[in-house]
Amino acid sequence: TGSMRSECLGSLLRITLNAEYFGDKYLTFSAVDRFGTAWEIDEAMASQCGYTVTYNYWGNAEFRASALSCHSQSEKDVFTITIQIKASHTPDMKNAATHLKTATCRYGPWSPRELVCEKNYMEVSVRKEVPQIVPDFIQDELEDWALAFPEAKAGESSIWQIVFHQPEKKKALLVSDAWHAGYGLNTTDSRILLRIPYSASQIQLAKAQGVTFSVVRSSTFYRQRWMILMVDTAVACPVDGVDYTNKTITWTVPKHVQPLSTGATGFKDVLIEAGVDLHKLSAEEMVSRKYSLSNDLDSITIKIPIGAEGGYYKTSVSSGQHGTKYCISLFLEHQWEDNKWGLTKHTIIKELETPFEHVELTMTNNTNLSTRLMNVTLGVFLPDVELVNLTFAGATVTVLDAIQHGYLTWENRYANGSQTYTIQVPFDATSIKKEYTRDDIRTYTLNVTLDFIIQPTRETFTIPVVTVSAIKDAVLPNARGFCDEKNLCLTIAHGNVDQKWLLFISNQHLTLEAAQKHSYSLSDNGTHWAICVPFLSPHVDYEDIHSSGIMASLHLTLKDGVTLANRRDFSVSCRFSPSQIMQCLPNGTVVITAVKLVGIADVDISQLVLRDRQCKPILVTEKTATFKFNVNTCGTRRKFNRTTMTYENEVLYFRPGNDMPIYRLKCICWYAIKQTVDVQYESKNNPAPSIKPGFGSLALSLKLFKDKTFSNLYKESEYPVVKYLGEALYFEVELLQSEDVRLELNLKDCWATNSQSSASHPQWPILRNGCENSEGSLRTIFHQVNLSPRVKFPQHLKRFEVRMFNFVQSTTLLQE
C-alpha cells in the first residue's frame, strides 16, 4: 500500500513506513512466524533475531530484517518475512490500528562465508560443507572437541553447542544457554548462523591498523546424522575508524582483521563496493557526489564531504543550545578470496554522525506600526523541528491555545525543505509589556519563549524571543488647577501611560487614607484624579506675603509605581485674602496665623514672637504659628483718625544673638468709630444662676523635665536629681483623667521646704495666689503650653521654671 513500501537489498529486507500516515503515531513491530503467531520485537529480540528499526531524515520508520532472521521462511534462495505493525495515537497503544506486511526476496548465490555488521548486531553465516578449522587457529583443538563431544553424542540432531575463545579461557554454551544469553543461533539446510548483539559479554575489542573492532572468536558444533561438525564462526565489525577534519568524513576499514584471516593465505580482492542507504553507487555517481573510494594494500578508505548529497543535516541540542549534525548511512561490501574459505563477503553498515555544531538562529523583526501588530520571524530551522508551546507572562500554552491570548504562529517552508516560524501579536495584548520612556514615546516589549521538539528523537529545546518597539502614542496625564476661598485644587486627567503611576505630595504617597488624615479631598473616577487641599495645610507652600494677599502653591508629582522615578509634576498657585491668616474680632481679640515662607529656610517657626517677645504662639505646626492676643497687649500700637481706630502689631523672628528680625509680618486691624449698628434684641428672663457645693477629687501629676522643651522627662532611675546653684528646674503640673475642654488648671500656691514635710519650716514661696514669686534673683518663670501630639488640652497643664537655691539660717547652710 502507499503507507508501506518494501525493498530487497541483498541479504536484507527493508520495509519503510510513510511518515504522512505513521509519523504522528506510536508504533510497535511484531514478527509473524509460520504458524501465524506474532512476536513483539523489543531491543533485545531485535539484536538476537536479526531485526533493526530506525527513522530516516523524512521521519519515515524503517524496519530491516536479515534473510536468516528468526522468523524468516526460507526455501532455496528465496526468503519470506511477515511483520505486524500496530499504530496508536497514545503511548499505551489503546485503540491501535493493526497492519500486516509480507515481503518475499530472492538472494543468492550465498558465499561460503558471509559477515554482516548491522547497527545493532553482528552476524556470521557459513556453509555446512566448510573446511576443517586449521590447527594454528585453535592450538588446543582437541580441548574444544572434548568440551563439545559428550553433549553432542548424547543429544539429538537439534542440540548443538558453541565455544567462545577468550584470552584467559574458553567458554562452552549449549544452544539453550546461548539463547538465554542473547545470542542468535540458526541453521538451514545449507548454512549455520551465529548472531551476536554488541552488548554481548563475549565480545572483545581488538586493534587493526589503529582501528578498533568488536571481535568474537567462536567455534560452533552441531550433530548431523552420525557426524559431529565443528565450524569457525568468528566475526569482527569496526567500531571506529572515522575522522571528521577539514569538512570531510574519512572512514577507514582495514582489510585483514584477526580472527577473520586466521589460517588463511593467498588473499585476493574480488569486489569492493560502497553506497548510501544500502543502495550501491557506481563510480560515476560517486564522482558526481564528490565521494572517493580508495583501495590500498591493507585498507579501504571512503571520503565524504560534509554536507554532500546522500546525507542530511538533522537538528541537535547540546547544553540547551540549538545546532545541527550531518548524518549519512554508508555501507561497504568487501569480497575476497583466500585458500581457507574461498569467497568471503563482508557487509558493513555504518551510520555516521558528525559532532555537534552550534547554529545561530536569525530573528527578523517585521513589526508593522500602522497596524499595531508585532511580527517576528525566527529561523532557519530544519524540517525535523516543530513548534509546540509558547511561554509568556509565566504561563505555558500550546500553539493552538495561544491564539486565545492573541498569539498567531505559522511556519514558512522553503524549497530546500528548511523552515522559519513567525509569531504575530497585537500591541494591546495583555502579555505585551508597555512602558513609558520619554516625551510621547511608549515601548512595547514582546517576551516569549518558544518550545520546540525534534522529530523523531523528541528532544526539546527553547528559544527566547525578545523584541522592543518604540511608538509615539503616549498620552500623558494633564492637569487643571483652580482655587476657591479656602482651598487649592487640581484635577488631573489620566493618560494611557499612568496605569501604575502613583500620586505623591511632598514626597509622600497620597493614598485615600493619607488624604483623610489631613482632611484633604481626594477622588479617582477612573478618568480623573481630583484633589483639594485647604489653604492652611502642611503640604501647601507659601511663597510671599503682600498687602494684596498670600501667594500659596500646591505641588503634586506622579511617580513610577516600580522605580519611583518622577514622571510628571503639576502645581497650582493662587493668592489668598489676608483674612485667611488674620481675624480682627469685635471684642478686640486678634487671631493671626504666621506662615513659613519657602524662601526663608532656617526659620524656627516655634520661635516667632510679637513685638512684645513674651507673646508667643498658642499653636505651632510645621509651617504655621498661630497667635491670639488682645489689641491692648503684646506691644500693639494704636492710631486714630476721623473714622477709624487702627491697631498694629508684627510677627517677628530673630536669630539667636541678633536684634534685627529676618522675618516680619505686619498685621493691622481697623475698627470704625461712631459706627451705628442695628442689633435685634429680645429680652428673656433667665433663671438666676445657682451654685451647688460638692466634694470630689482631682488627679494631678507633678513632673520634672530636663530642659525648657518639656520633652525629656527624668526617669525614676535618675532620682535624686543633682543640680548646681543657679541651674534651672522645669516643672509641669497636669490635670489627669479629664477631657473636658471647659476645665482649666490654675495653680494657687507652691512652695519649697528643706524636708519631705510640706508643713515644715523654713519655706520658700514659688507661686503666690497663682502669680510668680519675683522676690530676689530667683524669680519663677511661667512657660506657655501649646497644642502638640503629647498635649491635647493645653488648658489642663501649667509649666514653670525655678532656679536652684539653698536654705540658710544666719550664715549656716541648712540643706542643699
Side-chain angles (χ1 to χ4, degrees), residues 235-250:
V235 64
C237 291
V239 175
D240 49 30
V242 183
D243 181 59
Y244 308 96
T245 55
N246 299 323
K247 298 292 183 179
T248 301
I249 301 172
T250 302

Side-chain angles (χ1 to χ4, degrees), residues 298-443:
D298 297 320
S299 63
I300 302 168
T301 302
I302 301 175
K303 291 187 177 182
I304 309 290
I306 294 178
E309 180 186 353
Y312 61 91
Y313 284 97
K314 74 173 185 178
T315 305
S316 184
V317 178
S318 177
S319 301
Q321 296 294 308
H322 167 268
T324 60
K325 294 180 179 181
Y326 176 75
C327 304
I328 189 167
S329 179
L330 296 177
F331 86 95
L332 175 67
E333 182 179 305
H334 179 205
Q335 297 185 31
W336 72 87
E337 289 181 341
D338 57 48
N339 66 344
K340 174 184 175 182
W341 289 97
L343 184 64
T344 295
K345 181 179 178 181
H346 195 182
T347 302
I348 304 172
I349 300 172
K350 193 73 171 178
E351 295 187 357
L352 301 179
E353 188 176 275
T354 61
F356 173 85
E357 183 177 355
H358 176 65
V359 175
E360 286 288 346
L361 296 171
T362 301
M363 186 175 68
T364 305
N365 189 348
N366 300 310
T367 296
N368 191 327
L369 302 183
S370 61
T371 59
R372 296 184 62 82
L373 290 173
M374 304 190 82
N375 184 293
V376 178
T377 298
L378 184 67
V380 175
F381 296 101
L382 295 175
D384 57 356
V385 170
E386 179 185 357
L387 175 63
V388 290
N389 292 324
L390 292 84
T391 300
F392 49 84
T396 299
V397 298
T398 65
V399 171
L400 190 60
D401 291 340
I403 298 175
Q404 302 176 12
H405 300 272
Y407 286 75
L408 294 179
T409 59
W410 63 86
E411 62 182 38
N412 311 288
R413 292 195 173 270
Y414 302 98
N416 63 357
S418 63
Q419 60 185 350
T420 59
Y421 281 93
T422 298
I423 307 101
Q424 183 172 283
V425 194
F427 281 3
D428 298 322
T430 56
S431 60
I432 299 298
K433 180 182 178 183
K434 307 167 187 68
E435 187 176 12
Y436 170 69
T437 53
R438 55 184 175 83
D439 301 331
D440 58 348
I441 296 177
R442 278 198 298 179
T443 58

Side-chain angles (χ1 to χ4, degrees), residues 43-182:
E43 288 186 11
M45 180 179 176
S47 59
Q48 187 176 36
C49 283
Y51 304 122
T52 304
V53 178
T54 63
Y55 290 84
N56 65 18
Y57 169 66
W58 298 274
N60 301 324
E62 290 188 359
F63 176 86
R64 293 199 296 268
S66 168
L68 299 175
S69 60
C70 294
H71 306 93
S72 172
Q73 301 177 41
S74 301
E75 185 176 350
K76 295 185 179 179
D77 292 338
V78 176
F79 65 94
T80 302
I81 295 174
T82 300
I83 63 167
Q84 174 185 279
I85 303 108
K86 288 187 177 181
S88 173
H89 289 284
T90 58
D92 57 9
M93 302 306 294
K94 286 186 177 179
N95 302 317
T98 302
H99 306 266
L100 281 176
K101 179 68 175 178
T102 300
T104 299
C105 293
R106 179 178 297 276
Y107 177 67
W110 288 81
S111 300
R113 178 172 67 165
E114 296 203 4
L115 307 164
V116 176
C117 298
E118 247 287 11
K119 178 181 179 181
N120 55 331
Y121 62 85
M122 302 186 294
E123 181 181 281
V124 54
S125 69
V126 298
R127 286 180 184 167
K128 291 183 178 178
E129 301 80 22
V130 294
Q132 292 284 333
I133 296 179
V134 297
D136 60 350
F137 174 56
I138 304 175
Q139 298 297 328
D140 47 0
E141 181 183 339
L142 295 177
E143 182 182 343
D144 288 357
W145 278 104
L147 289 171
F149 188 82
E151 290 82 358
K153 184 178 179 181
E156 300 296 331
S157 62
S158 60
I159 297 177
W160 48 310
Q161 192 175 44
I162 183 168
V163 177
F164 293 99
H165 302 266
Q166 292 182 309
E168 64 277 4
K169 64 178 180 178
K170 294 179 176 62
K171 183 175 182 179
L173 292 177
L174 293 175
V175 63
S176 58
D177 296 330
W179 186 263
H180 289 136

Side-chain angles (χ1 to χ4, degrees), residues 43 116 123 141 149 153 268 400 415 505-506 576 614 632 689 747 757:
E43 288 186 11
V116 176
E123 181 181 281
E141 181 183 339
F149 188 82
K153 184 178 179 181
K268 179 183 176 182
L400 190 60
I505 182 169
S506 298
F576 285 82
Q614 297 300 316
N632 296 318
L747 304 180
S757 173

Side-chain angles (χ1 to χ4, degrees), residues 1-6 14-25 27 29 54-63 85 87 99 101:
T1 64
S3 60
M4 289 185 283
R5 176 171 52 90
S6 62
R14 178 166 63 191
I15 298 175
T16 303
L17 278 61
N18 195 322
E20 291 185 3
Y21 183 83
F22 292 99
D24 60 345
K25 299 179 176 67
L27 303 175
F29 294 87
T54 63
Y55 290 84
N56 65 18
Y57 169 66
W58 298 274
N60 301 324
E62 290 188 359
F63 176 86
I85 303 108
H99 306 266
K101 179 68 175 178

